[in-house]
Amino acid sequence: MLEAIRLQEHGIRLFVCRLYNHDYLWFSSYEISKLSVAWPIIHNYALTYSLGDFSYGISTETAPQYEENLAHIPLYATPAVATQWSRTRITYNAVNARSLRTDDAPRGINSPDLGWRHYIDPVFAGGDALKSNLGFSCYLFTFDGSRPKGVTRLGKKGAAMRIHWEEIHNPLALFKDEPIRPTHPVNPLDISGNAEVYDPVRIPPHLILRTAAIRDDWFVFAGFHRVHVPKRVLDRCRG
């Protein structure tokens, strides 16, 4: 059985990335009634679309087309997580879905209908950005020899994100049959092996494993970094 794959031989580069939101970052990780909360985890589909500059001006589809879209984007990211963060709650006038008014609260009370959004506060890079605990950390595979861009936008309000990155040169993917705990969250749809222990977090459109111990799968080891190789990247290596 093949136990090692040199990703560079298949045109794949691997980068360590840290992202800093330079504005209040909001996306709806959790939403009930008039409350919406952004958790400090970014789904890797959202990251891949953003870093790959893929979006629709107009779409006639009635459901997401993730598989078709991701096949056209020449990179793939792991989910990102922030370990140090803070949030700000903003109150807004919630619109009544039936009347489209903000002042027709139940029981005839003459008061605006209020809602709340929890935004992740802006952060800025320090002296050595990649060694900082601020911002979101993730890993990025590119398939066309390109390097990550320096800025992008994320979230429902298109918050500006600054990106610092460093390449892991000559990445070697190794097959491991013992449990390995990656240094990043994992999308369960990216796992080829078995997740033995995991901490799931519900993030639309599916869920993310915030921490996991995975066996019978592929990993790249580089110093502190233990990078799980997604199934989608392995498929490219196998042609």
Side-chain angles (χ1 to χ4, degrees):
M1 177 182 176
L2 186 65
E3 295 183 343
I5 301 174
R6 293 193 178 278
L7 299 183
Q8 191 175 26
E9 294 179 357
H10 301 274
I12 299 172
R13 300 174 72 177
L14 175 58
F15 299 88
V16 184
C17 297
R18 190 164 285 273
L19 296 82
Y20 300 85
N21 52 302
H22 284 189
D23 200 348
Y24 289 95
L25 177 61
W26 174 58
F27 46 87
S28 192
S29 309
Y30 171 81
E31 185 169 347
I32 183 170
S33 185
K34 293 171 288 187
L35 173 68
S36 172
V37 180
W39 286 353
I41 297 180
I42 303 174
H43 198 285
N44 59 330
Y45 286 4
L47 273 176
T48 300
Y49 275 64
S50 176
L51 296 176
D53 291 327
F54 192 97
S55 65
Y56 286 98
I58 300 175
S59 175
T60 57
E61 302 291 344
T62 57
Q65 305 292 315
Y66 295 119
E67 289 301 321
E68 291 80 358
N69 295 342
L70 291 172
H72 291 91
I73 303 175
L75 54 84
Y76 195 65
T78 68
V81 63
T83 55
Q84 294 185 10
W85 50 275
S86 61
R87 275 196 296 243
T88 295
R89 190 184 77 168
I90 295 178
T91 303
Y92 68 98
N93 289 341
V95 176
N96 184 312
R98 292 186 176 178
S99 67
L100 301 182
R101 295 171 61 104
T102 61
D103 59 352
D104 54 350
R107 299 183 299 278
I109 300 173
N110 186 20
S111 174
D113 195 13
L114 302 180
W116 298 270
R117 290 176 183 166
H118 291 251
Y119 291 70
I120 296 177
D121 294 334
V123 290
F124 296 88
D128 191 341
L130 288 173
K131 293 182 179 179
S132 167
N133 289 325
L134 300 174
F136 292 85
S137 61
C138 72
Y139 299 89
L140 180 69
F141 299 86
T142 65
F143 309 137
D144 58 355
S146 64
R147 298 178 296 177
K149 56 184 182 177
V151 293
T152 190
R153 290 187 178 275
L154 274 174
K156 290 191 174 183
K157 296 297 183 182
M161 307 284 293
R162 184 75 171 94
I163 306 167
H164 291 261
W165 55 265
E166 183 177 283
E167 184 170 7
I168 295 178
H169 295 283
N170 302 317
L172 178 65
L174 299 174
F175 182 82
K176 293 293 181 181
D177 55 7
E178 69 265 28
I180 301 295
R181 191 179 293 269
T183 50
H184 59 87
V186 176
N187 182 342
L189 299 178
D190 291 335
I191 296 176
S192 304
N194 300 297
E196 290 196 337
V197 181
Y198 50 86
D199 173 23
V201 179
R202 187 175 180 181
I203 298 286
H206 190 222
L207 57 84
I208 292 295
L209 307 183
R210 181 161 39 191
T211 60
I214 304 170
R215 67 183 308 159
D216 300 327
D217 215 328
W218 294 82
F219 302 87
V220 172
F221 300 90
F224 163 80
H225 307 288
R226 300 185 298 277
V227 187
H228 173 255
V229 182
K231 187 191 306 182
R232 196 177 304 276
V233 176
L234 292 174
D235 289 343
R236 284 183 170 270
C237 298
R238 292 163 177 160

